[in-house]
Amino acid sequence: MCGIVGALAFQNSVFDVTEPYIARMRDTMVHRGPDGGGTWISNDGRIGLGHRRLSIIDLSDVANQPMCNEDETVWVVFNGEIYNHAALRGELEAMGGHRWKTSHSDTEVILHAFETWGIDCIHKFRGMFAIALWDGIRRELWLIRDRIGIKPLYYSAHHGRLTFASEIKALLQDPDQKRAVHEEAFYHYLSFLTTPAPQTLFAGINKLPGGSWIRVRENGDILENRYWDVWEHTKPLTDIAEEEIATLVLEELRTAVQLRKVSDVPVGVFLSGGIDSSTNAALFSEGECSRVKTFSIGYDGDYQSYRNELHYARKMADFVGAEYHERVLTLDDLLAFLPRMVQLQDEPLADPVCVPVYYVSKLARDNGVIVCQVGEGADELFWGYPTWKRALKLQSLNDLPVPKCLKKAGLHVLKDAGRSERPYYEWLRRGAFDQPIFWGGAEAFTEEQKQRLLSPRLRKAFWGYSSWEALRPIRDRFQSTAWERSPLNWMTYLDLNLRLPELLLMRIDKMSMGVSLEGRVPFLDHKFVELAMSIPSAVKTRSGNLKHILKKSVRGLIPDELIDRRKQGFGVPVYEYFFDRLGLETAAILDDYCVRTEFFDRSEVSRLVQQRRPEVWNLLNFALWWKEYIQGL
């Protein structure tokens, strides 16, 4: 796990890439790679690569990056892990024609795989990765993000050059990089708690979508390609017994966990006591000679909005004989972390779970662990959220043969009655315009609420506009490629393309790497995802039980008490904190922000703060980010 940066100067550009320029960008990310840093600059000053290293596979200096092939015609910097690198190395060695300088570096496997198979080599990789490859013969730069989007990769084309990095703060070290709010991305952020790729909140800076690559040529031409879509790799399990499907799920998950144990440094498990993390802990413990280290977070009280799960985590740790570590967080911990959180995020991730993720990562690192397995993805793949059950019911009601004219008439009635801010108004609005009810597993403000929230200038600019525009391309792909176009499959596919890569996985990457810890996600192994998306929706939703088929798969592996207990997500008692000092600080920060800028309607923000609405966290994140990255630079 590392941090990568680089720059390519286009033809006829007067800009030269230099070592100090690359090193300055690289060293904004020391937290991503405290074990060393390297640079490579081409002799003509047209291309430069930089790397910060967190040593995990092949700890020797010969595995340092940037790394080149035998004749120095191909160079690579790489963030992530190729879990099947040993098998690929064996395949390449059998073919001959390569000289190897490392004993078992996955980075060197990338180099020789690219030499052998070209860009198609990425179809052979099983892992998480953000890769930059310079082909010195064809004079092409390739930027690649893994299939699911577990690792981030940002880029910007400006002033005769293209720059890229694992974090936006590195790109901001370029003195010519524009620092301004991307207002359309800001509009979508208010809906989704994050910005949909390829946009970021910085005008002129993009993020590469998951499952995509771009090829950049010296003349400035940029070609983007989506090289993976889950629907191209599914085999519908329509004629297979449920028991056999459950067996397949457990077998593939066991493989995914075992692959993610590959490491030359200590590996542990984040443990909440829920099904997902408990399954990780159980599968990780199989075949281990030593006790697995687990790490858990709780709070200094049982709040109404979030009840501690530590007793479940302890129970699971005892069940597998793990070495158990926990930390109890307070409001003081949250307030102390806010400035650092904003710095690490680069752009707002309006999910307060960033706070416990940071602290559980720090707990692991403080106890000598450098890699941890986490449970993200299972809820999205196996219908794990109670809110999703409600969304399916709402969609079935919307699908009743009711004329659209009646739905639109209902909108007028609700608006005249002052009910346009209510969630059911937005659901009816979507149905009236032939849009699906589900817009993602994390939503903040509806379209009507945003109109009230925005300043007069932005209200006018976005009049008649909708964040559906950000979802339309995803919907089009779903409609044209899904083997089963069910509402549940739409929900999973949308979150695989938006909420997971740009919010949940971003918070894992940013917060864990903030303490130099690597997070691995077995449930999002692409082979496991392909299997999960091959399961019919009816099997996943059998008897109306959330996670029905996953529970069937792991029963007997973990205690029934953990399988059958009520679902509770990993959360933060923000609602209660807003009645304490967090509320007072938030009110002061947002009021000052509204006075200084023209993004929000001040009176509407004040009303939301007084009501202690959870969505205020989104506004606080944005205001703190603006102060740190726009005003402060």
Side-chain angles (χ1 to χ4, degrees):
M1 187 65 66
C2 310
I4 66 174
V5 298
L8 172 64
F10 299 145
Q11 290 170 343
N12 303 319
S13 170
V14 297
F15 179 77
D16 287 325
V17 182
T18 65
E19 196 279 337
Y21 172 85
I22 294 295
R24 186 168 61 250
M25 292 198 296
R26 178 199 68 193
D27 290 342
T28 62
M29 303 184 295
V30 172
H31 52 278
R32 296 189 76 94
D35 298 329
T39 59
W40 168 74
I41 311 297
S42 64
N43 292 332
D44 60 6
R46 296 287 87 189
I47 177 76
L49 305 176
H51 185 259
R52 291 295 325 183
R53 186 179 185 194
L54 178 62
S55 301
I56 292 175
I57 299 291
D58 193 338
L59 309 184
S60 66
D61 289 344
V62 74
N64 286 344
Q65 301 179 44
M67 185 183 290
C68 63
N69 64 345
E70 303 93 324
D71 59 6
E72 300 188 4
T73 57
V74 180
W75 287 82
V76 67
V77 283
F78 155 57
N79 169 31
E81 307 291 347
I82 307 299
Y83 301 120
N84 63 335
H85 68 92
L88 288 176
R89 183 176 181 129
E91 183 178 351
L92 289 163
E93 287 178 339
M95 297 171 66
H98 299 292
R99 295 195 308 272
W100 298 83
K101 58 185 178 182
T102 70
S103 62
H104 60 286
S105 165
D106 54 349
T107 306
E108 190 171 22
V109 168
I110 293 173
L111 274 173
H112 294 320
F114 182 76
E115 285 185 285
T116 302
W117 298 299
I119 192 60
D120 287 341
C121 68
I122 57 179
H123 296 293
K124 292 179 172 286
F125 298 159
R126 190 165 183 173
M128 57 180 182
F129 46 83
I131 303 172
L133 279 158
W134 171 246
D135 185 337
I137 295 176
R138 295 178 178 82
R139 309 291 291 178
E140 295 174 340
L141 174 67
W142 296 86
L143 301 180
I144 310 157
R145 190 177 180 191
D146 65 70
R147 297 169 181 84
I148 308 298
I150 301 169
K151 305 315 302 173
L153 189 54
Y154 302 93
Y155 66 95
S156 178
H158 64 93
H159 296 87
R161 57 189 175 273
L162 181 134
T163 58
F164 68 86
S166 296
E167 296 187 3
I168 292 174
K169 63 176 64 68
L171 302 182
L172 296 178
Q173 294 303 304
D174 185 323
D176 294 324
Q177 178 65 56
K178 183 179 180 181
R179 293 159 172 83
V181 178
H182 190 309
E183 292 185 348
E184 182 180 312
F186 163 67
Y187 187 84
H188 296 321
Y189 162 80
L190 293 176
S191 290
F192 306 124
L193 290 70
T194 187
T195 56
Q199 296 175 345
T200 73
L201 266 179
F202 292 87
I205 297 179
N206 293 327
K207 55 190 169 191
L208 194 60
S212 298
W213 54 249
I214 62 171
R215 184 193 64 201
V216 189
R217 289 181 167 158
E218 279 191 307
N219 63 2
D221 286 347
I222 300 175
L223 174 66
E224 181 176 328
N225 180 66
R226 178 174 295 275
Y227 67 84
W228 181 86
D229 187 282
V230 66
W231 298 120
E232 298 171 353
H233 303 274
T234 52
K235 297 179 180 179
L237 302 177
T238 52
D239 298 320
I240 298 180
E242 190 174 293
E243 289 73 16
E244 185 176 349
I245 291 176
T247 299
L248 290 173
V249 167
L250 184 57
E251 288 177 352
E252 195 64 61
L253 185 57
R254 178 174 279 117
T255 297
V257 170
Q258 292 302 312
L259 283 171
R260 282 154 185 78
K261 292 171 66 173
V262 175
S263 173
D264 294 332
V265 296
V267 182
V269 177
F270 288 176
L271 182 61
S272 70
I275 295 174
D276 314 333
S277 64
S278 296
T279 299
N280 271 348
L283 293 176
F284 190 97
S285 299
E286 292 180 346
E288 287 293 298
C289 298
S290 57
R291 300 167 70 196
V292 59
K293 291 185 177 182
T294 67
F295 305 93
S296 305
I297 286 290
Y299 297 94
D300 61 338
D302 253 350
Y303 297 94
Q304 183 177 356
S305 66
Y306 185 81
R307 300 193 179 280
N308 274 319
E309 299 182 284
L310 289 176
H311 58 292
Y312 292 113
R314 295 188 199 108
K315 181 180 291 289
M316 187 61 206
D318 289 342
F319 184 76
V320 297
E323 180 182 317
Y324 175 78
H325 302 267
E326 71 175 43
R327 176 168 177 174
V328 174
L329 300 182
T330 68
L331 174 57
D332 288 335
D333 292 317
L334 183 149
L335 292 173
F337 177 57
L338 276 181
R340 181 62 175 153
M341 183 189 75
V342 174
Q343 293 169 355
L344 291 175
Q345 285 179 346
D346 277 347
E347 60 170 341
L349 303 173
D351 187 338
V353 173
C354 286
V355 179
V357 169
Y358 173 84
Y359 281 109
V360 75
S361 299
K362 187 176 187 302
L363 179 65
R365 183 74 201 212
D366 289 346
N367 282 276
V369 167
I370 300 175
V371 177
C372 268
Q373 298 205 20
V374 298
E376 261 69 11
D379 285 316
E380 289 77 10
L381 292 174
F382 293 101
W383 195 50
Y385 295 113
T387 54
W388 282 36
K389 182 180 288 191
R390 181 186 65 184
L392 282 185
K393 291 180 180 178
L394 289 170
Q395 187 63 55
S396 65
L397 291 173
N398 178 71
D399 292 341
L400 294 174
V402 177
K404 285 188 290 184
C405 61
L406 290 182
K407 294 180 181 180
K408 291 180 179 179
L411 290 175
H412 290 297
V413 171
L414 290 173
K415 195 159 192 173
D416 291 341
R419 302 297 180 89
S420 61
E421 280 194 272
R422 301 298 177 89
Y424 50 74
Y425 177 90
E426 175 64 16
W427 299 330
L428 183 60
R429 189 199 64 78
R430 294 174 188 177
F433 289 92
D434 287 330
Q435 298 165 2
I437 301 299
F438 185 80
W439 278 23
E443 289 189 72
F445 297 100
T446 68
E447 299 303 306
E448 284 290 321
Q449 289 169 343
K450 285 190 289 187
Q451 283 296 314
R452 291 176 61 101
L453 180 63
L454 293 174
S455 67
R457 179 184 69 83
L458 290 178
R459 195 178 302 148
K460 181 179 179 181
F462 289 104
W463 183 259
Y465 186 73
S466 160
S467 283
W468 173 246
E469 297 307 316
L471 306 184
R472 189 190 300 275
I474 302 173
R475 182 69 175 184
D476 289 345
R477 291 200 304 272
F478 173 78
Q479 291 291 87
S480 63
T481 58
W483 69 269
E484 180 190 63
R485 291 189 290 274
S486 66
L488 179 59
N489 274 346
W490 160 247
M491 294 159 72
T492 300
Y493 185 71
L494 174 55
D495 269 16
L496 281 171
N497 281 271
L498 177 52
R499 181 171 177 254
L500 273 165
E502 310 311 341
L503 183 63
L504 303 189
L505 295 173
M506 280 288 186
R507 78 186 184 195
I508 289 291
D509 176 85
K510 307 287 188 175
M511 298 301 108
S512 64
M513 291 308 298
V515 297
S516 306
L517 181 105
E518 174 178 288
R520 297 179 174 178
V521 281
F523 282 99
L524 292 176
D525 178 279
H526 79 275
K527 290 293 185 182
F528 186 74
V529 171
E530 291 167 2
L531 172 64
M533 297 305 286
S534 299
I535 301 172
S537 296
V539 174
K540 294 181 182 180
T541 59
R542 186 85 72 208
S543 303
N545 294 322
L546 296 175
K547 282 185 179 170
H548 165 74
I549 192 65
L550 181 62
K551 289 176 179 178
K552 190 165 189 172
S553 299
V554 302
R555 197 170 293 278
L557 180 71
I558 63 176
D560 285 351
E561 179 185 359
L562 302 185
I563 294 175
D564 297 326
R565 75 181 183 90
R566 185 178 178 181
K567 163 72 178 177
Q568 177 175 306
F570 195 29
V572 182
V574 169
Y575 178 76
E576 288 85 357
Y577 285 170
F578 274 139
F579 282 93
D580 205 322
R581 283 170 292 146
L582 178 62
L584 296 175
E585 291 199 22
T586 297
I589 290 169
L590 288 178
D591 191 63
D592 177 70
Y593 177 77
C594 289
V595 170
R596 292 172 178 266
T597 68
E598 56 168 351
F599 284 90
F600 296 127
D601 181 286
R602 187 182 181 189
S603 62
E604 178 66 7
V605 169
S606 177
R607 184 179 73 88
L608 295 173
V609 170
Q610 290 173 9
Q611 293 177 350
R612 269 75 172 183
R613 293 276 291 275
E615 296 91 343
V616 170
W617 182 264
N618 301 46
L619 310 184
L620 175 63
N621 268 247
F622 182 78
L624 291 172
W625 167 80
W626 181 88
K627 183 178 180 181
E628 173 76 18
Y629 282 105
I630 304 299
Q631 181 191 48
L633 290 174

